[in-house]
Amino acid sequence: MDTIEGQRTVKATTFREATAEDWEYVTKLGREAIQKNAGRPVIDLLRSQKDVPNHGWQINNYEHSLQCATRALRNGETEEYIVAALLHDLCQDLNPYNHDKLAGDALRYYVSDELHWVVANHQIFQLSFRDHSKFDTKACEKYRGHPYFEAAMRFCEHYDMNCFGKYDYLPLEHFEPMVYRLYEKGVQAFHAKHPY
């Protein structure tokens, strides 16, 4: 994150040493940095995956993410949905066994409850489409009856399981403004609810 050039530092080296004035100052600086950089860390993380291996698929995770977002855009989904499609596998290489939960958390304050839940649980829903594999294709049935069950199935069917081949996807730069707008709006809403 960027910092304000020339800013002073507090004398405290622990939380307990920090004065009320220190807390006011560092909180203000932190909030300014969060607002200024809203969405940039997730774009940087996704961009860092440009050259990851494709693990036998025709494309790698970076290209998969761009393909998912491009399909969502071309199908007329909302900007929020497009960003969720772009970032749903953001944490694939950080923790392949729990990547959906991490990506969901990265989107938690920036998308609807439904989209947050869909992204945070898409890993088990995508198993439904792994025909001819040893995976449990019925694993998501434990969520049957959940209000977002069908939304998760739709997301995986249209914007996940079918995005591993060659496709004329748009570059990341096309989606960056969408991410920044969504994250800036989320940061403002969060700070409005938590004015400390």
Side-chain angles (χ1 to χ4, degrees), residues 9-19 22-23:
T9 57
V10 297
K11 291 182 182 178
T13 59
T14 70
F15 282 0
R16 290 181 184 236
E17 291 175 358
T19 65
D22 291 342
W23 280 114

mmCIF file with all atom_site columns, all heavy atoms in Angstrom, residues 9-19 22-23:
data_model
loop_
_atom_site.group_PDB
_atom_site.id
_atom_site.type_symbol
_atom_site.label_atom_id
_atom_site.label_alt_id
_atom_site.label_comp_id
_atom_site.label_asym_id
_atom_site.label_entity_id
_atom_site.label_seq_id
_atom_site.pdbx_PDB_ins_code
_atom_site.Cartn_x
_atom_site.Cartn_y
_atom_site.Cartn_z
_atom_site.occupancy
_atom_site.B_iso_or_equiv
_atom_site.pdbx_formal_charge
_atom_site.auth_seq_id
_atom_site.auth_comp_id
_atom_site.auth_asym_id
_atom_site.auth_atom_id
_atom_site.pdbx_PDB_model_num
ATOM 1   N N   . THR A 1 9  ? 5.844  9.391  12.034 1.00 0.00 ? 9  THR A N   1
ATOM 2   C CA  . THR A 1 9  ? 5.567  8.105  12.670 1.00 0.00 ? 9  THR A CA  1
ATOM 3   C C   . THR A 1 9  ? 5.374  8.339  14.162 1.00 0.00 ? 9  THR A C   1
ATOM 4   O O   . THR A 1 9  ? 5.927  9.277  14.740 1.00 0.00 ? 9  THR A O   1
ATOM 5   C CB  . THR A 1 9  ? 6.718  7.099  12.444 1.00 0.00 ? 9  THR A CB  1
ATOM 6   O OG1 . THR A 1 9  ? 7.931  7.658  12.942 1.00 0.00 ? 9  THR A OG1 1
ATOM 7   C CG2 . THR A 1 9  ? 6.884  6.775  10.969 1.00 0.00 ? 9  THR A CG2 1
ATOM 8   N N   . VAL A 1 10 ? 4.609  7.494  14.770 1.00 0.00 ? 10 VAL A N   1
ATOM 9   C CA  . VAL A 1 10 ? 4.371  7.615  16.210 1.00 0.00 ? 10 VAL A CA  1
ATOM 10  C C   . VAL A 1 10 ? 5.560  7.039  16.971 1.00 0.00 ? 10 VAL A C   1
ATOM 11  O O   . VAL A 1 10 ? 6.343  6.245  16.427 1.00 0.00 ? 10 VAL A O   1
ATOM 12  C CB  . VAL A 1 10 ? 3.063  6.907  16.617 1.00 0.00 ? 10 VAL A CB  1
ATOM 13  C CG1 . VAL A 1 10 ? 1.870  7.569  15.931 1.00 0.00 ? 10 VAL A CG1 1
ATOM 14  C CG2 . VAL A 1 10 ? 3.109  5.426  16.317 1.00 0.00 ? 10 VAL A CG2 1
ATOM 15  N N   . LYS A 1 11 ? 5.692  7.394  18.224 1.00 0.00 ? 11 LYS A N   1
ATOM 16  C CA  . LYS A 1 11 ? 6.797  6.897  19.047 1.00 0.00 ? 11 LYS A CA  1
ATOM 17  C C   . LYS A 1 11 ? 6.525  5.494  19.579 1.00 0.00 ? 11 LYS A C   1
ATOM 18  O O   . LYS A 1 11 ? 7.447  4.752  19.880 1.00 0.00 ? 11 LYS A O   1
ATOM 19  C CB  . LYS A 1 11 ? 7.060  7.858  20.215 1.00 0.00 ? 11 LYS A CB  1
ATOM 20  C CG  . LYS A 1 11 ? 7.630  9.183  19.779 1.00 0.00 ? 11 LYS A CG  1
ATOM 21  C CD  . LYS A 1 11 ? 7.912  10.070 20.963 1.00 0.00 ? 11 LYS A CD  1
ATOM 22  C CE  . LYS A 1 11 ? 8.449  11.423 20.482 1.00 0.00 ? 11 LYS A CE  1
ATOM 23  N NZ  . LYS A 1 11 ? 8.696  12.336 21.562 1.00 0.00 ? 11 LYS A NZ  1
ATOM 24  N N   . ALA A 1 12 ? 5.266  5.140  19.694 1.00 0.00 ? 12 ALA A N   1
ATOM 25  C CA  . ALA A 1 12 ? 4.889  3.835  20.250 1.00 0.00 ? 12 ALA A CA  1
ATOM 26  C C   . ALA A 1 12 ? 5.436  2.698  19.376 1.00 0.00 ? 12 ALA A C   1
ATOM 27  O O   . ALA A 1 12 ? 5.463  2.806  18.150 1.00 0.00 ? 12 ALA A O   1
ATOM 28  C CB  . ALA A 1 12 ? 3.380  3.729  20.335 1.00 0.00 ? 12 ALA A CB  1
ATOM 29  N N   . THR A 1 13 ? 5.874  1.631  20.035 1.00 0.00 ? 13 THR A N   1
ATOM 30  C CA  . THR A 1 13 ? 6.332  0.438  19.308 1.00 0.00 ? 13 THR A CA  1
ATOM 31  C C   . THR A 1 13 ? 5.443  -0.767 19.603 1.00 0.00 ? 13 THR A C   1
ATOM 32  O O   . THR A 1 13 ? 5.676  -1.844 19.072 1.00 0.00 ? 13 THR A O   1
ATOM 33  C CB  . THR A 1 13 ? 7.799  0.105  19.677 1.00 0.00 ? 13 THR A CB  1
ATOM 34  O OG1 . THR A 1 13 ? 7.878  -0.114 21.082 1.00 0.00 ? 13 THR A OG1 1
ATOM 35  C CG2 . THR A 1 13 ? 8.737  1.227  19.261 1.00 0.00 ? 13 THR A CG2 1
ATOM 36  N N   . THR A 1 14 ? 4.444  -0.571 20.457 1.00 0.00 ? 14 THR A N   1
ATOM 37  C CA  . THR A 1 14 ? 3.456  -1.612 20.738 1.00 0.00 ? 14 THR A CA  1
ATOM 38  C C   . THR A 1 14 ? 2.084  -0.954 20.795 1.00 0.00 ? 14 THR A C   1
ATOM 39  O O   . THR A 1 14 ? 1.968  0.263  20.986 1.00 0.00 ? 14 THR A O   1
ATOM 40  C CB  . THR A 1 14 ? 3.710  -2.328 22.091 1.00 0.00 ? 14 THR A CB  1
ATOM 41  O OG1 . THR A 1 14 ? 3.421  -1.415 23.160 1.00 0.00 ? 14 THR A OG1 1
ATOM 42  C CG2 . THR A 1 14 ? 5.140  -2.835 22.204 1.00 0.00 ? 14 THR A CG2 1
ATOM 43  N N   . PHE A 1 15 ? 1.050  -1.746 20.648 1.00 0.00 ? 15 PHE A N   1
ATOM 44  C CA  . PHE A 1 15 ? -0.305 -1.214 20.762 1.00 0.00 ? 15 PHE A CA  1
ATOM 45  C C   . PHE A 1 15 ? -0.533 -0.585 22.127 1.00 0.00 ? 15 PHE A C   1
ATOM 46  O O   . PHE A 1 15 ? -1.166 0.451  22.260 1.00 0.00 ? 15 PHE A O   1
ATOM 47  C CB  . PHE A 1 15 ? -1.336 -2.326 20.543 1.00 0.00 ? 15 PHE A CB  1
ATOM 48  C CG  . PHE A 1 15 ? -1.564 -2.709 19.098 1.00 0.00 ? 15 PHE A CG  1
ATOM 49  C CD1 . PHE A 1 15 ? -0.886 -2.094 18.062 1.00 0.00 ? 15 PHE A CD1 1
ATOM 50  C CD2 . PHE A 1 15 ? -2.463 -3.698 18.787 1.00 0.00 ? 15 PHE A CD2 1
ATOM 51  C CE1 . PHE A 1 15 ? -1.107 -2.436 16.738 1.00 0.00 ? 15 PHE A CE1 1
ATOM 52  C CE2 . PHE A 1 15 ? -2.710 -4.063 17.471 1.00 0.00 ? 15 PHE A CE2 1
ATOM 53  C CZ  . PHE A 1 15 ? -2.029 -3.428 16.442 1.00 0.00 ? 15 PHE A CZ  1
ATOM 54  N N   . ARG A 1 16 ? -0.020 -1.202 23.172 1.00 0.00 ? 16 ARG A N   1
ATOM 55  C CA  . ARG A 1 16 ? -0.273 -0.708 24.525 1.00 0.00 ? 16 ARG A CA  1
ATOM 56  C C   . ARG A 1 16 ? 0.409  0.622  24.804 1.00 0.00 ? 16 ARG A C   1
ATOM 57  O O   . ARG A 1 16 ? -0.045 1.389  25.642 1.00 0.00 ? 16 ARG A O   1
ATOM 58  C CB  . ARG A 1 16 ? 0.141  -1.746 25.556 1.00 0.00 ? 16 ARG A CB  1
ATOM 59  C CG  . ARG A 1 16 ? -0.800 -2.929 25.532 1.00 0.00 ? 16 ARG A CG  1
ATOM 60  C CD  . ARG A 1 16 ? -0.435 -3.968 26.550 1.00 0.00 ? 16 ARG A CD  1
ATOM 61  N NE  . ARG A 1 16 ? -1.345 -5.078 26.368 1.00 0.00 ? 16 ARG A NE  1
ATOM 62  C CZ  . ARG A 1 16 ? -2.118 -5.567 27.306 1.00 0.00 ? 16 ARG A CZ  1
ATOM 63  N NH1 . ARG A 1 16 ? -2.089 -5.077 28.510 1.00 0.00 ? 16 ARG A NH1 1
ATOM 64  N NH2 . ARG A 1 16 ? -2.928 -6.563 27.047 1.00 0.00 ? 16 ARG A NH2 1
ATOM 65  N N   . GLU A 1 17 ? 1.498  0.898  24.112 1.00 0.00 ? 17 GLU A N   1
ATOM 66  C CA  . GLU A 1 17 ? 2.197  2.175  24.286 1.00 0.00 ? 17 GLU A CA  1
ATOM 67  C C   . GLU A 1 17 ? 1.515  3.315  23.524 1.00 0.00 ? 17 GLU A C   1
ATOM 68  O O   . GLU A 1 17 ? 1.759  4.482  23.820 1.00 0.00 ? 17 GLU A O   1
ATOM 69  C CB  . GLU A 1 17 ? 3.637  2.065  23.775 1.00 0.00 ? 17 GLU A CB  1
ATOM 70  C CG  . GLU A 1 17 ? 4.532  1.185  24.605 1.00 0.00 ? 17 GLU A CG  1
ATOM 71  C CD  . GLU A 1 17 ? 5.911  1.027  23.960 1.00 0.00 ? 17 GLU A CD  1
ATOM 72  O OE1 . GLU A 1 17 ? 6.159  1.575  22.860 1.00 0.00 ? 17 GLU A OE1 1
ATOM 73  O OE2 . GLU A 1 17 ? 6.744  0.324  24.553 1.00 0.00 ? 17 GLU A OE2 1
ATOM 74  N N   . ALA A 1 18 ? 0.713  2.984  22.540 1.00 0.00 ? 18 ALA A N   1
ATOM 75  C CA  . ALA A 1 18 ? 0.096  4.004  21.689 1.00 0.00 ? 18 ALA A CA  1
ATOM 76  C C   . ALA A 1 18 ? -0.879 4.857  22.487 1.00 0.00 ? 18 ALA A C   1
ATOM 77  O O   . ALA A 1 18 ? -1.692 4.347  23.254 1.00 0.00 ? 18 ALA A O   1
ATOM 78  C CB  . ALA A 1 18 ? -0.614 3.347  20.517 1.00 0.00 ? 18 ALA A CB  1
ATOM 79  N N   . THR A 1 19 ? -0.778 6.151  22.289 1.00 0.00 ? 19 THR A N   1
ATOM 80  C CA  . THR A 1 19 ? -1.683 7.096  22.954 1.00 0.00 ? 19 THR A CA  1
ATOM 81  C C   . THR A 1 19 ? -2.972 7.216  22.145 1.00 0.00 ? 19 THR A C   1
ATOM 82  O O   . THR A 1 19 ? -3.058 6.767  20.998 1.00 0.00 ? 19 THR A O   1
ATOM 83  C CB  . THR A 1 19 ? -1.031 8.487  23.053 1.00 0.00 ? 19 THR A CB  1
ATOM 84  O OG1 . THR A 1 19 ? -0.864 8.998  21.726 1.00 0.00 ? 19 THR A OG1 1
ATOM 85  C CG2 . THR A 1 19 ? 0.322  8.422  23.771 1.00 0.00 ? 19 THR A CG2 1
ATOM 86  N N   . ASP A 1 22 ? -2.107 8.904  19.044 1.00 0.00 ? 22 ASP A N   1
ATOM 87  C CA  . ASP A 1 22 ? -1.466 7.977  18.098 1.00 0.00 ? 22 ASP A CA  1
ATOM 88  C C   . ASP A 1 22 ? -2.521 7.170  17.351 1.00 0.00 ? 22 ASP A C   1
ATOM 89  O O   . ASP A 1 22 ? -2.458 7.023  16.124 1.00 0.00 ? 22 ASP A O   1
ATOM 90  C CB  . ASP A 1 22 ? -0.529 6.999  18.825 1.00 0.00 ? 22 ASP A CB  1
ATOM 91  C CG  . ASP A 1 22 ? 0.709  7.653  19.396 1.00 0.00 ? 22 ASP A CG  1
ATOM 92  O OD1 . ASP A 1 22 ? 1.052  8.772  18.981 1.00 0.00 ? 22 ASP A OD1 1
ATOM 93  O OD2 . ASP A 1 22 ? 1.325  7.029  20.289 1.00 0.00 ? 22 ASP A OD2 1
ATOM 94  N N   . TRP A 1 23 ? -3.489 6.632  18.099 1.00 0.00 ? 23 TRP A N   1
ATOM 95  C CA  . TRP A 1 23 ? -4.530 5.807  17.479 1.00 0.00 ? 23 TRP A CA  1
ATOM 96  C C   . TRP A 1 23 ? -5.353 6.609  16.477 1.00 0.00 ? 23 TRP A C   1
ATOM 97  O O   . TRP A 1 23 ? -5.690 6.119  15.393 1.00 0.00 ? 23 TRP A O   1
ATOM 98  C CB  . TRP A 1 23 ? -5.438 5.175  18.533 1.00 0.00 ? 23 TRP A CB  1
ATOM 99  C CG  . TRP A 1 23 ? -4.808 3.968  19.151 1.00 0.00 ? 23 TRP A CG  1
ATOM 100 C CD1 . TRP A 1 23 ? -4.400 3.817  20.447 1.00 0.00 ? 23 TRP A CD1 1
ATOM 101 C CD2 . TRP A 1 23 ? -4.493 2.730  18.494 1.00 0.00 ? 23 TRP A CD2 1
ATOM 102 N NE1 . TRP A 1 23 ? -3.857 2.568  20.638 1.00 0.00 ? 23 TRP A NE1 1
ATOM 103 C CE2 . TRP A 1 23 ? -3.894 1.885  19.449 1.00 0.00 ? 23 TRP A CE2 1
ATOM 104 C CE3 . TRP A 1 23 ? -4.642 2.267  17.207 1.00 0.00 ? 23 TRP A CE3 1
ATOM 105 C CZ2 . TRP A 1 23 ? -3.456 0.592  19.150 1.00 0.00 ? 23 TRP A CZ2 1
ATOM 106 C CZ3 . TRP A 1 23 ? -4.207 0.983  16.892 1.00 0.00 ? 23 TRP A CZ3 1
ATOM 107 C CH2 . TRP A 1 23 ? -3.620 0.166  17.869 1.00 0.00 ? 23 TRP A CH2 1
#
